[in-house]
Amino acid sequence: MDQQTLGVIVGTALIAAFVYAIFSLFKGSSEPAPAPETKKETSGDSSKTSSGGVAKKKLQAAAKPKKPNVSGHPLLAAELKGHTGPVTGVDFDLSGDYLASCSEDRTVRIWYSRDFTEREHKYHRVNVELDQASKVRFSPDSRALVTLLEDAQLVRVLKLTRKKDNSISGSSLAVDVGKRDARLPSPYICVAIASTGKYIMAMTRDCHITVWSTKGDVLEVLDTRQMTGHFADISPDGRFIACCGFVADVKLLEVKFTKSGEYSGLSRAMELTGHSSSVYHFSFSADSKRVVTISKDGSWKLWDIDVNYELRQDPRLLVTHQHCASPAQSAMLAALSPDKTTVAVAQGGSVTLYSADDGNVLESLGSVHTGDITALQFNPSSDLLCSAGLDKRVHVWHNVIGLRANAEALSAKIKTTRNNPLLTERLQEQLQALEAKLSQLTA
């Protein structure tokens, strides 16, 4: 080996030794000192354990939303338990005897209003196999359920059978009204059946409305051109289909039939124009003469739609109330009592009741659900309000304003039945029971 090669080897070794020394010095100065040894407690006294775990558990508990305790609420009529998944829809039948609820737990439950005052609430359970009903509606005669199947995107009608005491004994498939057209890529979000029993309607998220006969024949598919759909429904008299979405208006379409009863199409009737942002929801009165709308602009509006729209007469705005600041931080629902006296508004898990006459707050139920409320509806007699939500709960509330209206109607009726002592006596007993309930609720 020559001297030049030897010099290269020695030089390389010296450089390597120098780098190693510098690396060792840096590692030793930056490495943290070893942590002091912690002895494990063996006495079994939990108070001697590290406080870090306790603090962590407290933080985790605080982060979880607390379930509102509604059992002691003075206006609670019934707390209906049984669903094991978020509740996505509810519907009272036209008689007010039944309340249907559907859930992501793949069941539809039919509750009996006669049991609302009892400690236990009986129900009939309908299992939705391999799917879930996202919406549910009663047929006009309460003998069938119209369900919207989420996965199959199918409108299914179930026939209900009853016992002599009017309790539901079973259900069976009546007809699959129609699967969503493949040309409509957006899913259905709502379904309704006309009180006349002549047609069924569903709307997709991209605002296409499909109308079927109750036998399942497609009558019409219409694009309402509202971009993103939020809600659609049929007026209680079956005359209109209304829909709302991303735009700030609510469209009302007249459903026309020939004199012989054949379907002849949808035509523009009127529009409810006045909100400054998207309309989330709306609700009709029982006589189809009033509509309440609620918007992302934070306000609700009450409209009189009993106008001659064929002569281009516009709906009349009766009341406007600012429920929250604009823009609303979460979607809202609105329900107008069938007797037109009360407007209920749900936002998040809270419910507020307003006077439909002047917009004043009548009652704030407060935060009564954990998570968003998904359904809000009055019963036909306006004395009960149902709310349901993502917390798997269905609550039924007394509506004091509706009870007072019923008491006034009974008093007026008693004055006209003085020639019928038996009827007068029966009505007076009903009035006394109603007044006793009012006294208890308003004490």
Side-chain angles (χ1 to χ4, degrees):
M1 181 182 297
D2 57 12
Q3 291 183 352
Q4 186 177 0
T5 304
L6 182 62
V8 171
I9 294 173
V10 172
T12 302
L14 289 173
I15 292 173
F18 178 79
V19 171
Y20 178 78
I22 295 298
F23 176 77
S24 299
L25 180 63
F26 176 77
K27 183 179 179 182
S29 62
S30 61
E31 186 171 332
E37 183 179 355
T38 302
K39 293 184 178 180
K40 191 174 182 180
E41 296 288 346
T42 58
S43 63
D45 186 354
S46 60
S47 65
K48 295 181 182 179
T49 60
S50 173
S51 61
V54 176
K56 185 176 180 181
K57 289 181 179 180
K58 287 183 178 180
L59 287 173
Q60 291 174 345
K64 292 181 180 179
K66 294 182 178 180
K67 291 185 178 181
N69 182 16
V70 301
S71 58
H73 199 291
L75 294 181
L76 182 68
E79 186 176 9
L80 307 179
K81 302 177 182 179
H83 283 297
T84 59
V87 181
T88 55
V90 299
D91 190 43
F92 280 104
D93 78 312
L94 291 179
S95 69
D97 293 335
Y98 307 102
L99 171 67
S101 60
C102 57
S103 167
E104 291 181 8
D105 64 9
R106 300 182 183 273
T107 69
V108 174
R109 297 171 193 250
I110 303 174
W111 313 83
Y112 307 107
S113 58
R114 65 184 181 226
D115 294 334
F116 286 170
T117 57
E118 303 296 330
R119 178 172 295 182
E120 295 185 0
H121 306 111
K122 298 178 181 179
Y123 60 82
H124 175 76
R125 172 172 171 163
V126 179
N127 293 322
V128 183
E129 296 182 1
L130 304 176
D131 212 319
Q132 67 183 54
S134 60
K135 300 297 175 186
V136 61
R137 304 297 287 266
F138 277 103
S139 64
D141 60 3
S142 307
R143 296 185 177 277
L145 280 178
V146 180
T147 60
L148 178 57
L149 300 189
E150 179 73 16
D151 298 334
Q153 283 296 289
L154 184 72
V155 178
R156 175 165 291 174
V157 181
L158 300 173
K159 181 181 179 181
L160 302 175
T161 55
R162 306 186 197 180
K163 300 178 182 177
K164 291 183 178 180
D165 63 354
N166 278 336
S167 61
I168 307 299
S169 59
S171 62
S172 58
L173 175 63
V175 62
D176 283 339
V177 172
K179 188 175 178 64
R180 177 171 54 84
D181 193 315
R183 293 170 294 178
L184 304 177
S186 186
Y188 288 128
I189 59 172
C190 48
V191 68
I193 181 171
S195 60
T196 58
K198 291 183 176 181
Y199 66 94
I200 294 172
M201 175 278 304
M203 186 177 78
T204 61
R205 178 63 70 185
D206 61 359
C207 299
H208 283 82
I209 288 179
T210 303
V211 182
W212 296 273
S213 71
T214 51
K215 295 181 180 180
D217 300 320
V218 177
L219 302 178
E220 186 168 355
V221 179
L222 176 69
D223 183 2
T224 65
R225 303 186 183 279
Q226 292 172 299
M227 298 179 70
T228 301
H230 292 158
F231 183 64
D233 201 4
I234 301 173
S235 60
D237 60 5
R239 190 175 184 181
F240 303 111
I241 291 177
C243 52
C244 64
F246 179 78
V247 299
D249 305 331
V250 177
K251 292 186 177 183
L252 276 79
L253 307 170
E254 183 180 8
V255 186
K256 292 187 175 182
F257 289 86
T258 64
K259 291 183 179 179
S260 60
E262 296 180 355
Y263 179 82
S264 61
L266 297 173
S267 65
R268 178 193 178 278
M270 65 189 93
E271 294 182 1
L272 306 180
T273 304
H275 286 292
S276 60
S277 190
S278 304
V279 178
Y280 286 133
H281 199 244
F282 61 83
S283 175
F284 287 96
S285 62
D287 60 6
S288 301
K289 294 181 179 181
R290 299 283 191 275
V291 178
V292 65
T293 59
I294 195 159
S295 165
K296 187 178 180 180
D297 64 18
S299 71
W300 62 263
K301 297 178 183 292
L302 182 64
W303 308 82
D304 177 9
I305 62 170
D306 187 22
V307 297
N308 193 342
Y309 56 86
E310 293 179 346
L311 297 179
R312 298 298 180 184
Q313 185 177 358
D314 293 328
R316 292 184 288 269
L317 178 61
L318 303 177
V319 182
T320 297
H321 183 86
Q322 195 70 29
H323 176 76
C324 65
S326 177
Q329 298 302 308
S330 60
M332 297 182 286
L333 302 176
L336 178 61
S337 61
D339 62 5
K340 301 178 286 190
T341 62
T342 314
V343 174
V345 172
Q347 184 179 24
S350 300
V351 178
T352 306
L353 302 180
Y354 293 95
S355 168
D357 292 330
D358 52 24
N360 290 331
V361 175
L362 299 174
E363 187 75 39
S364 177
L365 300 182
S367 181
V368 293
H369 285 272
T370 302
D372 289 344
I373 293 173
T374 56
L376 191 69
Q377 186 181 357
F378 284 96
N379 71 333
S381 57
S382 301
D383 57 347
L384 295 174
L385 173 70
C386 178
S387 64
L390 299 179
D391 59 358
K392 313 172 189 177
R393 300 289 183 173
V394 179
H395 298 320
V396 182
W397 308 95
H398 291 292
N399 177 26
V400 173
I401 301 303
L403 288 170
R404 286 174 180 163
N406 290 343
E408 292 173 0
L410 278 176
S411 298
K413 193 172 183 178
I414 288 173
K415 294 178 181 179
T416 65
T417 59
R418 292 175 178 174
N419 295 331
N420 190 335
L422 292 177
L423 178 58
T424 301
E425 182 180 358
R426 187 166 69 250
L427 292 177
Q428 286 176 339
E429 290 176 354
Q430 294 177 7
L431 180 59
Q432 290 173 359
L434 198 53
E435 289 176 341
K437 181 184 289 187
L438 276 169
S439 298
Q440 180 182 0
L441 294 174
T442 57

